[in-house]
Amino acid sequence: MLDLTTLVQEDVMTAEHGPLGRLELLQGTLDLIILQTLAWGPQHGYGLTQMIQVRSGDVLQVETGSLYPALHRLEKKKLIRASWERSDNNQRVRVYELTAAGRRQLAAVGSRWERLSEAMQGIMSPSAAEEDA
Amino acid sequence: MRFRLFSRARRDRELEEEIRAHLAMAVRDRVARGEDPKEAEHAARREFGNETLVRELTRRMWGWTWLEALWQDVRSALRTLQREKRFTALVVLTLGVGVGSTATVFGMVDQLLLRPVPGVADPDQAAYVQIEPAPGSDPQDAPGLDVAEFDELRAGTSLLSGIADYGFSGTWQVSADGEHPVVAVMEDIYGDYFGVLGVRPSEGRLLRADESLGDPHVAVISEKLRRELFGDGGKVVGRTIQIDGQSVTVLGVAGDGFEGARRSLPCQMWVPYSALTLYAGYRSVEQAVSVPHYFRHMVARLRNGVRPAQAEAQIRSVLGGISRAHPDDDLAQHVTATLLPGLRVPPGAARRTYAALRIFFVVVGLVLLIACANVATLLLMRNVTRRGLVATRRALGASPGRVARQHLMESALLAALGAVVGVLVAWLVAVPLAGQRVALRMPAFAGFHMDVGVLVFAMVAAAVTLVAFGAGPAMLAGRFDLAGALRAAGGSDTQRMAGIRRIMSAGQIAICITLLTGAALLVRTMRNLYAIDTGMSIDHLATVDIGQPDHLGASTPLPDVYRSLTAAVRNVPGVEAAAMDMGGPLAGRSSTAIAFPESPSRTMEALIRPVTPGWFDVVRLPMVRGSPFREGDWQPGSTPVPMVVTSALARRVFRTTDVVGRTLLAQLSPDGMEETRIVGVSRDVCLPDQPDKPLEAFFVPLASFPVAPVNTLVVRAHSFDQQVGTGIRQAVQRVLPDVVPPDPTPVTAQLGERFTAQSALGRLLEILSTLALILASVGLYSVIAFSVAQRRREFGIRMALGAESNRIARLVLGDAAAIVTVGTAAGILGAYVLSILLANRLYGVAQVDPISYAAAAALFALVAAAACWMPTRAATRVDPVDVLREE
């Protein structure tokens, strides 16, 4: 069995914006999203918010109040590492990239997430279809 | 630590830059999408949210290591303590005095009572056997056993695996190379002393039972003496050392730090009983053996499973048998024996030490109690003044746990600072105590001795006080009734508690006055004692003990040896005059028998002072009648022996001082009485410790008293510097090449030694009264300051209603005066009781000595005034507006 609590908590469903609006993410989920996003290449904080928004089709809005603590937490756990670099328009930015440990973590948690997501799909899809109708 | 903090500051800057970069990029994107730059900036900030909060949340992720959290608490506590300097200083001082003095005295007790005698195997099976006067018999019939009786006792005590005797046989100059003498205590032993105690040799072997009456020229030495004589290396067994000019072979070294069975006087060398022929003036072992009633202190070892009571009963019954077997020997009728198992409580005179220790124990226990009470009062006061602060902290969102942690950290810091001061105080107390140990018959302190366990105990007591009265109430104050605490920061204390604190403070003052008065009495006694007229002129006099070299008088007649010695010393540049006696001008405890020629069997006791001709001039003892004996007046072997008597002896024996020309019999040697003729009557001579009792003594030529255990040079010189000392030594060695004389000791210094009991007691009382003075003034201060802190509101209102600051000051001082008056009255009562206890140590000072009492009270009044000054000033400076605003 999957341990649901590590990934989704009850609060996630109380998001103000409703199922089709922007979702607020909880820690475990956010960590997974950050790790997955960084898996596509090193990125700075602002770039991450943009990418997550775009990739989730404007559904997921990451609050900076959650993003930066999460980034620093993951850095402390040595799942990602940071370095100062110059951006395209010569702005000094702090760029994050996955570490080897981060990659392993992503693989482990990511597969669990997929199984959870399949399971959720199975449970949720009939009603979701009704709502669409 | 520092590095981490730097890195923290750097990370703070980096985070700020990261956020700025984020905002800049967001604005640039928006502008690129066609938004107005100003509008874009606002939108970006809005979208970003609360920047401070984001920073704070992120910073939290870095995590505090526990060390960093601790460091933060320590810094915060240090800042608080620094702000409240006076409070901190008082608490630390009080704790230091309490913890330090307790640790020292407990350490002493531990060393004296609880620790086993070093070097003794299985001390629980060992015991002291003490021969004492039987109940109802005169202690003057000093009981003891002779060698034959002791052998009977040893044979008859089947419950003991062994019993052996030991006796103090003097303090001697010992030298390994003839040049650097060290002073060591000697014990003569009879029986299997080392076997009974289970002492193991660390080198060579120890004395056996069958050697007790054998070769006298052997000794066992302690490890300490071995180090002093030979250093740490080399071989010492079989080497020859000089003890008082005697050549003695070292048999071995007693191991495991053994320094004798008794704690009261550590011993460094042991000789067989037969060696008394060398050191106590006996001419033969047979004579030493026949001396009756010598043995008094013994050690024994119980057989397995034997209870001390059984063994004691057996010893007593054997002693009873001995008495019955010798009905003619009346001294044997008067003894009984006590068994003191475990070698814990030493026999004899040292019991007084334990009485003194018990008093210390009580006084120091009181000191710790007072210290804790004072700290409690100080903390309660601080908590009252701080209640507003705690409430404010809580209102600003500090959790109760956080507030409690801060208080605990402060308490811990105070305790640590108190410990540092405590160690200092312990050292300050231990050093003078160690200096007085001989006078108090206490064993040597191994340098600065302080028990770590005891220190921890005292620290825990202090820490409990701190938490119970400091952090605890503060936590409660933080938890309950925020609004109430904010509103009435003055708070109110129950009347009962205030009363208890006043009584405690008065009690402290009473103890302080008592000790101060005692110290004053002894200081005045010391001054009187130093001013005593001994009858002689002892300024500019010094003594040099040269012992009793065994060949002295062997080839040259004694008077000639003495004459050449004094002549040689007199020729030393700087020396004015020289003579010889036995032990120096202030000695004089040797007594012998005298009788009228008409009735030689009716003997009387008199003190004997053997001196060389010329001695009277050197010490400037004038004659009342006749003249002193002179060089050539007498030759060894001839009678009558010329004699000078003191006026006191003449008055006692003849009821008159007009006695020149009268004859007396005097026992000058163990062989019998000799005829003497009185040639002069001297002025009275007093010893400093008994200024009202002139000595009943007579003087005879030194050469007529061959058993003198020590020959002493008495030298008069303007000063005794290094040069004079060396000159005297060389002069002595020209005449007696084997002798290693010590440096000259000024007689006035010996005067001080004679007052050791008074000066040691005085010194201790000085120390304790100083501690009590500090504590009592802190106590008074804290009580007064506490009541001022509590009555702030009252004072404010009074002032608002027109009371002048004089009036306020009078209110506060009246309060203090009441406490001081009660305390002083009780203290004077206590001082009276103390002076009764000290009565036999006082001289020239009335028991109710108004000067001492007044001095103590005045000193305390001065300190009390200082203690009250601050709180009074604080009270008169209360700003009514401030107080009313706090409402």
Side-chain angles (χ1 to χ4, degrees):
Chain A
M1 268 309 285
L2 283 166
D3 182 1
L4 290 177
T5 54
T6 56
L7 296 172
V8 186
Q9 287 175 342
E10 219 179 327
D11 288 1
V12 82
M13 295 306 169
T14 66
E16 291 166 26
H17 303 290
L20 289 176
R22 289 166 176 173
L23 283 171
E24 281 195 15
L25 294 167
L26 269 170
Q27 190 178 316
T29 324
L30 179 59
D31 287 0
L32 181 60
I33 292 170
I34 292 173
L35 291 177
Q36 182 58 60
T37 311
L38 286 178
W40 297 316
Q43 194 53 270
H44 48 71
Y46 176 71
L48 276 170
T49 57
Q50 299 303 306
M51 261 180 100
I52 292 168
Q53 207 169 333
V54 171
R55 294 257 173 190
S56 69
D58 276 348
V59 173
L60 291 175
Q61 162 82 37
V62 183
E63 296 287 343
T64 49
S66 308
L67 176 74
Y68 282 100
L71 283 172
H72 284 248
R73 186 176 59 242
L74 290 171
E75 188 188 354
K76 190 173 154 69
K77 284 190 192 162
K78 298 205 161 53
L79 296 177
I80 60 178
R81 67 170 154 259
S83 55
W84 287 96
E85 280 169 25
R86 292 276 161 194
S87 73
D88 305 334
N89 33 36
N90 213 23
Q91 172 86 40
R92 216 166 91 90
V93 288
R94 201 153 190 258
V95 172
Y96 297 89
E97 61 179 317
L98 276 185
T99 63
R103 257 174 240 291
R104 279 197 298 278
Q105 176 80 359
L106 179 62
V109 181
S111 75
R112 284 198 295 173
W113 176 257
E114 272 169 29
R115 283 162 60 200
L116 173 72
S117 141
E118 277 167 25
M120 290 294 285
Q121 196 91 46
I123 295 165
M124 304 298 286
S125 39
S127 60
E130 271 167 39
E131 266 180 40
D132 279 340
Chain B
M1 184 61 89
R2 188 132 282 232
F3 176 72
R4 286 199 80 97
L5 290 171
F6 274 138
S7 93
R8 210 172 170 79
R10 202 193 69 220
R11 288 183 70 177
D12 257 333
R13 281 197 306 278
E14 286 187 358
L15 177 61
E16 208 180 321
E17 190 176 354
E18 190 174 6
I19 289 170
R20 266 206 317 278
H22 182 112
L23 283 171
M25 286 185 287
V27 171
R28 200 176 295 120
D29 276 1
R30 282 175 185 274
V31 171
R33 283 203 297 269
E35 279 183 38
D36 172 58
K38 213 159 205 157
E39 191 74 4
E41 174 132 12
H42 279 301
R45 281 194 184 283
R46 216 168 27 248
E47 193 183 48
F48 191 88
N50 185 341
E51 197 187 315
T52 317
L53 185 66
V54 171
R55 261 216 304 272
E56 187 48 47
L57 288 171
T58 308
R59 220 183 267 132
R60 217 176 261 177
M61 292 304 140
W62 301 342
W64 288 99
T65 66
W66 66 271
L67 214 59
E68 277 170 328
L70 188 75
W71 177 237
Q72 203 198 22
D73 277 353
V74 168
R75 280 200 317 177
S76 150
L78 275 177
R79 270 200 303 276
T80 315
L81 294 182
Q82 215 175 2
R83 209 167 39 238
E84 298 171 348
K85 278 194 193 70
R86 211 184 317 154
F87 164 80
T88 308
L90 288 177
V91 171
V92 166
L93 185 70
T94 309
L95 277 181
V97 168
V99 170
S101 50
T102 315
T104 314
V105 172
F106 275 71
M108 269 164 54
V109 171
D110 172 58
Q111 205 176 10
L112 288 173
L113 292 180
L114 308 178
R115 227 168 267 198
V117 176
V120 174
D122 196 7
D124 288 333
Q125 287 295 107
Y128 296 112
V129 179
Q130 193 179 355
I131 304 293
E132 291 174 318
S137 68
D138 183 358
Q140 283 305 308
D141 295 337
L145 307 176
D146 61 26
V147 169
E149 287 164 345
F150 176 79
D151 285 340
E152 276 182 62
L153 176 67
R154 181 164 55 174
T157 44
S158 56
L159 297 179
L160 302 176
S161 67
I163 182 167
D165 172 84
Y166 64 96
F168 169 70
S169 42
T171 303
W172 303 98
Q173 304 259 348
V174 187
S175 159
D177 51 11
E179 270 187 24
H180 302 99
V182 296
V183 173
V185 171
M186 177 194 280
E187 279 176 358
D188 59 275
I189 57 181
Y190 184 86
D192 188 17
Y193 177 77
F194 292 108
V196 165
L197 292 174
V199 179
R200 288 174 313 171
S202 61
E203 287 167 68
R205 65 176 183 84
L206 305 172
L207 277 164
R208 293 189 306 262
D210 60 7
E211 288 174 303
S212 298
L213 298 179
D215 179 8
H217 290 93
V218 292
V220 169
I221 62 174
S222 73
E223 287 170 342
K224 177 168 169 272
L225 185 59
R226 186 219 196 278
R227 273 195 303 279
E228 285 173 357
L229 289 177
F230 302 104
D232 283 325
K235 202 170 95 70
V236 299
V237 176
R239 281 185 64 169
T240 301
I241 57 173
Q242 307 287 322
I243 305 176
D244 187 41
Q246 305 279 350
S247 294
V248 172
T249 305
V250 175
L251 287 183
V253 180
D256 305 318
F258 180 73
E259 287 206 300
R262 53 183 151 189
R263 298 152 193 267
S264 50
L265 186 65
C267 172
Q268 289 85 42
M269 53 190 177
W270 296 267
V271 296
Y273 184 71
S274 60
L276 289 179
T277 53
L278 304 180
Y279 309 107
Y282 295 115
R283 273 170 311 167
S284 65
V285 174
E286 289 68 36
Q287 193 193 17
V289 163
S290 66
V291 176
H293 318 300
Y294 182 79
F295 289 175
R296 284 176 209 173
H297 303 307
M298 304 160 194
V299 284
R301 181 166 290 274
L302 306 179
R303 285 195 192 282
N304 276 342
V306 173
R307 281 181 293 111
Q310 294 173 309
E312 187 177 78
Q314 190 182 46
I315 293 169
R316 286 182 174 175
S317 107
V318 173
L319 283 176
I322 295 172
S323 303
R324 280 191 297 279
H326 305 276
D328 51 315
D329 181 355
D330 61 315
L331 291 187
Q333 314 294 327
H334 297 298
V335 298
T336 181
T338 310
L339 194 78
L340 304 163
L343 301 184
R344 289 279 190 265
V345 180
R351 275 185 189 164
R352 266 180 302 149
T353 306
Y354 290 82
L357 264 187
R358 261 201 299 280
I359 295 172
F360 284 148
F361 214 76
V362 171
V363 170
V364 164
L366 283 176
V367 165
L368 184 64
L369 204 68
I370 290 173
C372 287
N374 279 349
V375 170
T377 308
L378 282 165
L379 288 167
L380 287 174
M381 173 183 80
R382 202 266 317 254
N383 285 343
V384 167
T385 56
R386 231 197 219 182
R387 215 172 281 173
L389 174 77
V390 171
T392 311
R393 277 189 188 166
R394 290 277 290 111
L396 287 178
S399 67
R402 182 86 187 141
V403 172
R405 213 171 67 190
Q406 263 167 3
H407 277 87
L408 274 176
M409 180 50 68
E410 274 174 45
S411 297
L413 268 182
L414 283 173
L417 287 172
V420 171
V421 175
V423 170
L424 205 71
V425 169
W427 183 72
L428 286 176
V429 175
V431 167
L433 275 182
Q436 304 298 342
R437 66 180 177 76
V438 177
L440 294 166
R441 293 175 183 280
M442 282 179 186
F445 286 95
F448 165 46
H449 173 82
M450 196 180 50
D451 207 87
V452 175
V454 173
L455 193 67
V456 169
F457 164 80
M459 286 285 308
V460 167
V464 166
T465 309
L466 280 170
V467 171
F469 293 92
M475 279 147 79
L476 292 180
R479 192 156 300 165
F480 298 120
D481 195 18
L482 262 181
L486 271 174
R487 206 179 312 119
S492 80
D493 193 31
T494 63
Q495 279 298 311
R496 204 166 57 87
M497 282 305 291
I500 289 172
R501 266 194 295 280
R502 281 186 172 72
I503 291 168
M504 273 185 344
S505 176
Q508 292 171 25
I509 294 169
I511 292 172
C512 175
I513 299 259
T514 302
L515 293 173
L516 278 176
T517 310
L521 284 170
L522 284 164
V523 165
R524 278 168 54 73
T525 296
M526 290 297 291
R527 286 178 46 151
N528 290 338
L529 287 174
Y530 274 106
I532 282 164
D533 183 9
T534 58
M536 303 170 282
S537 165
I538 57 172
D539 293 337
H540 305 296
L541 274 190
T543 59
V544 181
D545 284 344
I546 56 171
Q548 194 201 33
D550 48 358
H551 54 78
L552 203 64
S555 53
T556 323
L558 275 176
D560 296 344
V561 177
Y562 293 145
R563 195 164 42 241
S564 2
L565 259 179
T566 48
V569 171
R570 205 177 300 125
N571 286 336
V572 172
V575 170
E576 291 165 25
M580 293 182 70
D581 66 6
M582 187 177 83
L586 295 183
R589 289 278 174 246
S590 313
S591 64
T592 189
I594 55 170
F596 291 113
E598 307 88 78
S599 49
S601 58
R602 265 196 62 228
T603 59
M604 297 167 279
E605 284 277 297
L607 295 175
I608 177 166
R609 308 290 311 272
V611 300
T612 58
W615 183 86
F616 301 93
D617 296 333
V618 174
V619 305
R620 299 188 181 153
L621 178 63
M623 292 296 128
V624 180
R625 286 169 193 277
S627 57
F629 43 83
R630 305 219 175 272
E631 207 64 72
D633 279 4
W634 176 80
Q635 291 305 318
S638 69
T639 54
V641 179
M643 174 190 266
V644 169
V645 295
T646 62
S647 302
L649 182 64
R651 280 195 302 270
R652 196 189 91 197
V653 174
F654 299 103
R655 314 262 167 239
T656 170
T657 55
D658 186 12
V659 294
V660 172
R662 304 283 292 263
T663 54
L664 279 176
L665 294 179
Q667 183 168 20
L668 302 180
S669 71
D671 302 329
M673 307 285 264
E674 272 169 86
E675 195 185 326
T676 62
R677 183 170 169 279
I678 297 172
V679 296
V681 180
S682 79
R683 223 186 120 175
D684 270 332
V685 174
C686 291
L687 292 185
D689 47 352
Q690 282 185 312
D692 302 324
K693 259 183 78 183
L695 297 184
E696 295 169 347
F698 65 85
F699 302 86
V700 289
L702 185 56
S704 71
F705 191 67
V707 294
V710 57
N711 294 290
T712 307
L713 273 166
V714 184
V715 185
R716 180 173 289 281
H718 186 67
S719 72
F720 290 92
D721 51 23
Q722 194 64 43
Q723 211 176 353
V724 173
T726 313
I728 292 174
R729 172 175 310 168
Q730 286 166 350
V732 170
Q733 286 181 329
R734 264 200 303 283
V735 180
L736 302 169
D738 294 345
V739 172
V740 187
D743 287 331
T745 316
V747 175
T748 43
Q750 296 162 27
L751 198 66
E753 275 169 32
R754 287 217 158 247
F755 306 146
T756 43
Q758 278 92 345
S759 77
L761 270 174
R763 194 96 188 81
L764 282 171
L765 279 177
E766 266 173 41
I767 293 167
L768 289 174
S769 55
T770 308
L771 297 182
L773 190 67
I774 294 171
L775 288 179
S777 52
V778 172
L780 183 65
Y781 166 83
S782 56
V783 167
I784 299 300
F786 186 41
S787 90
V788 167
Q790 285 201 311
R791 293 169 74 183
R792 237 171 88 77
R793 198 150 40 121
E794 178 201 325
F795 291 145
I797 292 168
R798 276 175 192 269
M799 287 179 100
L801 293 177
E804 286 173 19
S805 56
N806 277 352
R807 185 123 184 84
I808 303 286
R810 223 172 303 150
L811 265 175
V812 177
L813 289 178
D815 201 14
I819 297 174
V820 172
T821 309
V822 172
T824 307
I828 286 174
L829 210 67
Y832 180 69
V833 174
L834 183 67
S835 66
I836 292 173
L837 295 176
L838 287 174
N840 62 346
R841 298 286 184 203
L842 298 181
Y843 173 70
V845 184
Q847 249 179 46
V848 187
D849 177 45
I851 295 178
S852 300
Y853 284 73
L859 177 59
F860 189 78
L862 212 66
V863 172
C868 293
W869 184 67
M870 294 269 225
T872 309
R873 210 176 57 140
T876 57
R877 293 197 176 173
V878 170
D879 184 349
V881 179
D882 274 357
V883 172
L884 295 175
R885 198 178 290 140
E886 282 166 17
E887 286 293 300

